[in-house]
Amino acid sequence: MTQTPVQPGIMDIALYVSGESTLAGRADVLKLSSNENPLGPSPAAQEAFRRAAGDLHRYPATDHAGLRAAIGQVHGLDPDRIICGVGSDEVLQFVVQAFAGPGDEVITTQHGFSMYPILARMVGATPVTVPEDTRRVDVDAILAAVTVRTRVVFIANPANPTGTMLGADELQRLIDGLPPQVLFVHDGAYTEFAEGFDGGASLVDRHPNVIMTRTFSKAYGLGGLRVGWGYAAREVIDVLNRIRQPFNLSDAQMDAARAAVLDRDFTTRCIALNARMRDRMRQSLIQMGIGCDESHANFVLARFDGPDTAAAADAALRADGILVRRVGGYGLPDALRITVGDEDAVTRVLDCLGRFMQGRGQ
Ligand SMILES: *Cc1c(COP(=O)(O)O)cnc(C)c1O
């Protein structure tokens, strides 16, 4: 055992648990545990990735200029205020590294994304978890928890794993209520699935203490590629760039992400399929007597009448080769988070849950 002391906070980190991907003895596993795109990555992204193979001896561009320009063009944003990372998780890590440390507090919410407390502890800061209001982020609870030590507030909007969302008025009220030394991180991993939402870009444009993060892992079907980005005031991006490793993204990653963001037809198709299937899932679950809030993401949260029922439903799904996400660790032991799949996947899930609920006499 090494005698070198470990930095404060690190040994308090409970390792992140990712969605399962295999079931022993089954070849036909349907993975609906990690909010992946049922249509996979855009063919244009795949082609760009293959093309990059011949240049793997070259170091990549350090300024990410090509990718930032494409993101800026598609989303109508200033490329100089964009930073790219190894998934949006890396951008979130830059934020805590740059703006929080021992003695500082980082606010997250009751059912918030499990990476937030991990990131806070990584830099020795103290995660402070505030209650939600029936599975929705509670602006008043966040504002009540702010102290002079608060440095960062993290929310995902739409949220994971609840799928619920705060509207523009509530976001504005939250930002207006935060003291200027608090950085508000608006994690927009599921922005594309929320109709008519800019992901918080206009909030960033109006407020120097707001950062928006986005990802290629969900709507773009590139979770395995590991590319995300953030958008904030120039001064904030300048700080984050100082702790970013110069070669954090390979050219293969950047080329594929660039092709993906420019392939707008494919993205539109993915979003339309998700909206249709999400609606079908929610209506059917409710008809079966399973609780389901309106989701603004690419998953639904199915709520059963207790933790035992949720566990039994999970077992029934697994027996049919379907992997979904248990969310007891998110304070939701009665629920299962189910990624919205394609037509066949949704049919398989609904058939299984229909039989399960019938077997219980519902
Ligand atoms: C999936 C997800 C992310 C994205 O992580 P990447 O590192 O970009 O793959 C970020 N935030 C939330 C809430 C998510 O669910």
Side-chain angles (χ1 to χ4, degrees):
M1 180 60 195
T2 174
Q3 296 292 303
T4 313
V6 178
Q7 287 293 311
I10 290 176
M11 297 312 290
D12 300 327
I13 294 174
L15 293 184
Y16 181 82
V17 182
S18 70
E20 289 176 281
S21 53
T22 55
L23 267 176
R26 283 199 80 123
D28 61 341
V29 170
L30 176 57
K31 186 186 176 198
L32 300 174
S33 55
S34 296
N35 302 337
E36 293 158 347
N37 188 337
L39 298 184
S42 136
Q46 297 182 44
E47 178 53 31
F49 190 81
R50 273 192 293 268
R51 263 202 315 271
D55 285 325
L56 283 171
H57 59 302
R58 304 278 183 214
Y59 270 87
T62 64
D63 63 4
H64 306 160
L67 176 55
R68 287 187 297 106
I71 293 169
Q73 179 197 323
V74 168
H75 296 286
L77 304 174
D78 176 2
D80 287 344
R81 293 165 56 197
I82 293 171
I83 183 170
C84 302
V86 180
S88 49
D89 284 351
E90 193 188 31
V91 180
L92 300 172
Q93 182 177 334
F94 295 154
V95 172
V96 289
Q97 273 186 294
F99 295 104
D104 295 334
E105 292 170 356
V106 172
I107 295 181
T108 70
T109 65
Q110 186 182 1
H111 309 301
F113 187 40
S114 59
M115 277 305 293
Y116 306 149
I118 291 177
L119 292 167
R121 291 199 166 99
M122 199 184 279
V123 298
T126 305
V128 174
T129 304
V130 309
E132 296 193 5
D133 177 10
T134 19
R135 299 175 299 281
R136 279 183 95 240
V137 168
D138 183 339
V139 169
D140 295 308
I142 292 176
L143 293 178
V146 171
T147 73
V148 289
R149 295 168 183 266
T150 307
R151 290 294 174 271
V152 178
V153 171
F154 280 119
I155 73 163
N157 194 45
N160 173 19
T162 59
T164 61
M165 198 175 170
L166 291 187
D169 292 353
E170 283 171 292
L171 284 173
Q172 190 64 56
R173 195 160 70 77
L174 172 57
I175 293 166
D176 290 343
L178 290 175
Q181 86 278 3
V182 177
L183 193 64
F184 172 53
V185 180
H186 185 280
D187 176 344
Y190 300 96
T191 296
E192 289 82 358
F193 303 113
E195 214 170 304
F197 183 49
D198 72 357
S202 60
L203 295 173
V204 172
D205 290 338
R206 292 199 303 276
H207 302 279
N209 62 327
V210 179
I211 175 163
M212 152 179 115
T213 57
R214 302 281 293 269
T215 184
F216 284 92
S217 301
K218 306 287 158 58
Y220 293 99
L222 292 170
L225 189 69
R226 310 304 307 132
V227 184
W229 53 281
Y231 175 67
R234 203 176 293 259
E235 296 74 19
V236 172
I237 296 299
D238 176 64
V239 171
L240 303 182
N241 263 321
R242 286 163 200 270
I243 50 175
R244 177 175 68 79
Q245 296 212 22
F247 305 112
N248 64 329
L249 291 179
S250 68
D251 278 340
Q253 283 171 292
M254 290 188 276
D255 291 354
R258 184 171 175 280
V261 74
L262 293 174
D263 188 353
R264 302 182 75 170
D265 288 348
F266 181 79
T267 310
T268 304
R269 239 179 342 114
C270 295
I271 293 167
L273 174 69
N274 180 71
R276 212 154 46 80
M277 292 300 114
R278 180 176 64 190
D279 203 43
R280 180 180 160 209
M281 277 197 86
R282 176 160 185 252
Q283 299 312 326
S284 303
L285 291 177
I286 290 171
Q287 266 168 24
M288 290 174 199
I290 298 169
C292 187
D293 297 321
E294 184 180 5
S295 167
H296 301 274
N298 66 342
F299 54 83
V300 295
L301 188 71
R303 284 182 287 116
F304 299 85
D305 62 13
D308 293 347
T309 314
D314 185 41
L317 288 162
R318 294 171 75 94
D320 275 5
I322 303 168
L323 289 172
V324 302
R325 189 67 164 265
R326 298 289 297 273
V327 282
Y330 284 88
L332 296 161
D334 300 354
L336 298 175
R337 191 194 69 190
I338 309 172
T339 303
V340 174
D342 60 13
E343 191 93 49
D344 287 350
V346 170
T347 300
R348 230 171 116 179
V349 169
L350 293 176
D351 283 354
C352 177
L353 288 177
R355 273 182 275 114
F356 171 77
M357 293 302 281
Q358 224 148 39
R360 298 178 60 84
Q362 295 264 344

